[in-house]
Amino acid sequence: MSLFDTFDPNSEEIISPSAMYRPMDGFPETVIMTFEEKSLQTLRDICDTQIAATLRGGWEIPVYKLCWHGRDIGVFQTLIGGAGTAGLLEEALALGAKKVLLYGACGVLDAALAAGRFILPTQAYRDEGVSYHYMPVGDYVDVPTAQRLGEVFDELKLPYVKGRVWTTDALYRETRNNMEKRRADGCIAVDMECASVMAVAQFRGAEVYEFFYAEDSLDGEAWDPRTLGAVPVSDYEKYLRVALEAAARL
């Protein structure tokens, strides 16, 4: 048996999200997931929040609830990597989330194309493990929500580019040969979660949206960290505000 034999549509999971979490009155139907702790610090500075629920991804993860343009929205910090993020997405859906917007940094494979633009994935290459538990074998998982999110970004007059992304589990095994293969296949960025969360979304029938902003670049003879680890707080606030504005329109 291999990873490709893992998808099992004929029997139920032993531990289901509904066994751990029940729908909660007042839990926001629209939820934002982000990897950035500084975004959460910024959130508390720009609006009033209350804790709507607590998730447990190895430690307590508060889900903050706020009102933005008259819409209740939840925000929480997710984990890096497909497995942790997919698990927390499952829990948020079990609590009552209907629409989820995930955003965070990525590495770019085409620096010129991504320059000055947000990245909206249209498909994610499945170089990870989670998606194989949620859908049949295939190279890519579609991101059917990219069209609607692009319309929202148009309304907000935000610059963006759409394209395939490469989702990998192995941050330190992004080899030059594999990068070239993915770029030749049309991937413009690399991340660690998109394929996983989109597989969960399709399996559960949930609306999950995603956008990236570029930090490091793999597009060159040597890796360029660019702003990785050195993003100013003002930028975190900008990205958070973009997410809130977009979420309020979904």
Side-chain angles (χ1 to χ4, degrees), residues 111-130:
L113 189 62
R117 301 179 178 93
F118 292 102
I119 296 169
L120 276 56
T122 56
Q123 288 185 310
Y125 185 76
R126 299 167 62 187
D127 190 12
E128 39 72 70
V130 172

Side-chain angles (χ1 to χ4, degrees), residues 15-242:
I15 305 174
S16 69
S18 61
M20 305 294 291
Y21 294 89
R22 300 292 187 191
M24 178 181 292
D25 290 341
F27 190 82
E29 292 190 356
T30 302
V31 173
I32 295 170
M33 302 171 66
T34 180
F35 309 103
E36 305 294 353
E37 181 181 4
K38 291 180 181 178
S39 291
L40 271 295
Q41 296 170 354
T42 298
L43 175 67
R44 294 187 285 270
D45 291 335
I46 66 174
C47 60
D48 294 329
T49 65
Q50 63 185 79
I51 296 177
T54 301
L55 309 179
R56 289 173 175 81
W59 61 85
E60 292 189 348
I61 299 174
V63 180
Y64 296 97
K65 181 179 177 180
L66 60 112
C67 183
W68 195 264
H69 296 320
R71 182 95 168 260
D72 285 342
I73 296 175
V75 183
F76 69 88
Q77 182 183 354
T78 188
L79 305 173
I80 293 176
T85 300
L88 292 175
L89 172 61
E90 285 271 34
E91 294 174 8
L93 295 175
L95 283 166
K98 298 289 190 284
K99 298 180 180 181
V100 178
L101 173 63
L102 174 65
Y103 80 93
C106 71
V108 293
L109 307 187
D110 187 330
L113 189 62
R117 301 179 178 93
F118 292 102
I119 296 169
L120 276 56
T122 56
Q123 288 185 310
Y125 185 76
R126 299 167 62 187
D127 190 12
E128 39 72 70
V130 172
S131 67
Y132 294 92
H133 296 264
Y134 285 86
M135 63 192 308
V137 171
D139 289 341
Y140 284 88
V141 56
D142 291 333
V143 184
T145 53
Q147 177 66 31
R148 175 58 188 144
L149 188 57
E151 293 169 356
V152 170
F153 272 45
D154 287 337
E155 293 172 19
L156 295 171
K157 295 180 170 53
L158 294 170
Y160 66 90
V161 60
K162 291 180 180 178
R164 286 176 161 179
V165 299
W166 166 27
T167 302
T168 178
D169 280 336
L171 171 64
Y172 294 114
R173 286 295 295 158
E174 295 171 1
T175 66
R176 178 66 52 186
N177 286 342
N178 283 336
M179 185 276 289
E180 294 290 359
K181 290 177 184 177
R182 301 285 70 78
R183 186 163 61 181
D185 202 27
C187 291
I188 62 174
V190 59
D191 82 300
M192 298 183 69
E193 299 83 16
C194 187
S196 300
V197 298
M198 291 304 163
V200 172
Q202 293 182 29
F203 186 79
R204 297 298 182 193
E207 290 184 38
V208 177
Y209 302 78
E210 185 161 7
F211 73 85
F212 299 114
Y213 53 88
E215 283 197 353
D216 61 317
S217 175
L218 285 70
D219 183 12
E221 294 183 2
W223 173 63
D224 182 358
R226 301 204 306 181
T227 60
L228 186 64
V231 177
V233 173
S234 60
D235 280 1
Y236 284 119
E237 180 176 337
K238 176 181 71 176
Y239 300 141
L240 174 62
R241 287 183 180 273
V242 167

